[in-house]
Amino acid sequence: GAVVSQHPSRVICKSGTSVKIECRSLDFQATTMFWYRQFPKKSLMLMATSNEGSKATYEQGVEKDKFLINHASLTLSTLTVTSAHPEDSSFYICSARGAGEVNEQFFGPGTRLTVL
Amino acid sequence: GQNIDQPTEMTATEGAIVQINCTYQTSGFNGLFWYQQHAGEAPTFLSYNVLDGLEEKGRFSSFLSRSKGYSYLLLKELQMKDSASYLCAVLDSNYQLIWGAGTKLIIKP
């Protein structure tokens, strides 16, 4: 199956700093990438959908200026958490979908963010 | 609104069979997914149903009834490694995945 990687897998940062998370599709071209957030014992919450070369579409309640998403190429999307605060601590997961593949999303391994 | 319901937690015995149910109400339907998620890891794909009926894949089977808005995931010959959360997700008319909260499955020896 298709492989999606995320980097870093874990990050600990101080409050007020910015953190960038990378999501890469390794063996296919991802025309659409999704960014999710998951709190402990809760389901996935879609934050935003990004299509290559265009601005991301954010879900209601997600601050686009705080969670900057860039999908500059067909194999890379980045999520930058700006001015991180402890409440931003969470498990962030990306998924990717190829052109013509409207049904299946392939998930990255996730990034555990802890803001002190 | 859109809604996916599944039990919060289930317990089963190693070697036994367990059925995890999922009911849904969504704006449109383009298929239903089951994912397995171990603690601290991302979800992994188990099955996809878009037509009514049963899809069997090894020890796991998934059933769909579109008229009833209902699906189940059947796990046979349970192993300890099957202890995980099982997520039901529906692809709506906009091809967005709507997620259930997940069912935590606990396997006892």
Side-chain angles (χ1 to χ4, degrees), chain A residues 34 36 38 41-44 46 49 59 91 93 97 102-110 112, chain B residues 30 33 35 37 39-45 48 87 91 94-97 99-102 104:
Chain A
F34 304 86
Y36 293 89
Q38 188 175 34
K41 299 182 180 181
K42 298 292 184 182
S43 190
L44 298 168
L46 180 64
T49 302
E59 295 300 302
F91 191 47
I93 307 172
R97 188 172 71 195
V102 295
N103 295 340
E104 189 164 3
Q105 297 178 23
F106 302 96
F107 285 86
R112 174 75 58 191
Chain B
N30 282 298
F33 292 84
Y35 285 86
Q37 186 178 27
E41 298 179 11
T44 56
F45 171 81
Y48 171 67
L87 306 174
L91 204 60
N94 294 319
Y95 292 97
Q96 272 209 8
L97 273 178
W99 293 89
K104 182 178 180 181

Side-chain angles (χ1 to χ4, degrees), chain A residues 88-104:
Chain A
D88 298 325
S89 298
S90 190
F91 191 47
Y92 292 87
I93 307 172
C94 75
S95 70
R97 188 172 71 195
E101 297 287 338
V102 295
N103 295 340
E104 189 164 3

Side-chain angles (χ1 to χ4, degrees), chain B residues 4-78:
Chain B
I4 310 272
D5 285 317
Q6 50 181 130
T8 304
E9 187 173 297
M10 298 182 71
T11 302
T13 305
E14 189 177 16
I17 299 173
V18 71
Q19 177 175 311
I20 303 174
N21 296 324
C22 171
T23 57
Y24 62 89
Q25 291 175 306
T26 56
S27 56
F29 179 83
N30 282 298
L32 184 145
F33 292 84
W34 283 97
Y35 285 86
Q36 180 190 61
Q37 186 178 27
H38 285 100
E41 298 179 11
T44 56
F45 171 81
L46 290 178
S47 67
Y48 171 67
N49 293 67
V50 67
L51 299 176
D52 289 349
L54 186 69
E55 295 275 346
E56 297 186 75
K57 191 185 294 184
R59 294 190 298 115
F60 293 5
S61 302
S62 56
F63 172 83
L64 174 68
S65 169
R66 288 172 296 172
S67 62
K68 295 182 180 178
Y70 167 70
S71 172
Y72 67 73
L73 179 69
L74 190 72
L75 293 79
K76 302 176 185 177
E77 301 170 18
L78 286 170

Side-chain angles (χ1 to χ4, degrees), chain A residues 45-57:
Chain A
M45 183 191 80
L46 180 64
M47 299 174 66
T49 302
S50 74
N51 291 297
E52 185 266 338
S54 61
K55 290 184 178 180
T57 302

